[in-house]
Amino acid sequence: MKFLGRLLGFSIVLCVVGVGCNDGGCEGTGCSGGEAGGDGSTGPTEITLQVEDFIAGLSKPWDIAWLPNGTVLVTERTGQLNIYLDGADEAPLTIPLTDVIAAGEGGLMGLDVDPQFASNGYIYLCTTSAAGAEDDVRVVRLRLRRPDGDAVEGREDIVTGIPYRASGPAGRHSGCRPRFGPDGFLWVGTGDAAFGTTPQANDSLGGKVLRVDRDGAAAPDNPSGFLWYSKGHRNIQGMAFRSDGIRMSAEHGPDVDDEVNPLVQGNFGWDPTPGAYNESVPMTDLARYPDAVEAAWSSGSPTLAVSGADFVEGPQWGSWNGALMVATLKAQHLHVLFVDSEGVVTGELRAIEDQGRLRTPRQGPDGLLYITTDGDSGTGRVLQVTPIAAPRGPSGRVFGDNPG
């Protein structure tokens, strides 16, 4: 299935929330266009998205990554790692992880490839697991045969003991997103497992951003030698790094205030106590934690159920270059946030509103955007999203459009 979808169902001039529009298009941060049109005229860049199926027939695809040679990897929450040795159009090599607990929000989740895969063969997975004395969420390092990843040569569970909720309902707030940062460390966003004391407890790995090396040891400048870099989080599902140093996470709020946060040290103020799990407290509780790090963006009410996030970069994205793409589950669209060089969100809009629940967006090595959907029982897909940018002339018409 292939179609050319225009954002919000019609051709738009890129005017986003918080950005002013005038008769000639839009002005302000987030509106700067691409290169001049063929006749030398300039104007803001309109972006349309070509959306097509890249992989189909999946069950709860959670994350996607690429080996250096272009081999595609996809996790399914039901417990399978799919390795597309012969391309995305062919049946994958499927690696089952037999200790995965696929229940509720838990299962085989986040995935990342080591930047040094060519020399070490490592990939990293987040999973709910029955491998230990107690069920938990853990970060697993697999060593794949190089260069294609056509066999598993070893496994090491480098971070264990992230809390897991076994009942009421099972798997709630399991997180769990790993991403390598430009600093060479593995950053892992975790969930609080819906336990009230978890996010603020220094001795718990739940409700945290972990920052560890390849063996699971704490990064040397983490607070007090902890595995975590920041605390006071609810359920992080998105982690993203931009080439200019901006880094952000996305996490679920309770009834209000999903958040996109800067990835910095500190306490982010989620403390669902007193009580077993008190969700009536603010997402960022400045009354109890005056120094809490405030969100770069919050949804207010209603929440969107934000999930994965990634920055898109490159000239092919026109005036969207550097925007943060955030998948939403409940709201069923791609939420586009425009973020300036200081990490301030200057505008937002919605895109891809006709593909159901979206789990994870990730820019591929070809510069396109790939998005896993949340379909189960063979209805899950990976979408390939191609930006099509056209500069606008003085009349406001897109060059190449049929004026009729």
Side-chain angles (χ1 to χ4, degrees), residues 17 30 57 61 92 114 122 130 148 150 183 188 196 200 204 213 221 227 263 266 290 307 309 313 315 369 373 389 396:
V17 176
D114 196 300
Y122 292 158
D148 298 322
D150 56 353
D183 58 0
V188 183
Q200 295 295 329
S204 173
D213 67 15
D221 53 345
L227 294 187
L263 279 170
S307 186
E313 298 189 72
L369 184 67
T373 73

Side-chain angles (χ1 to χ4, degrees), residues 132 139 160 184 393:
V139 180
T160 61

Side-chain angles (χ1 to χ4, degrees), residues 13 23-25 39 41-43 392-399 403:
V13 177
D23 293 340
D39 64 354
S41 302
T42 60
R392 302 184 71 89
S395 66
R397 183 170 64 84
V398 178
F399 292 109

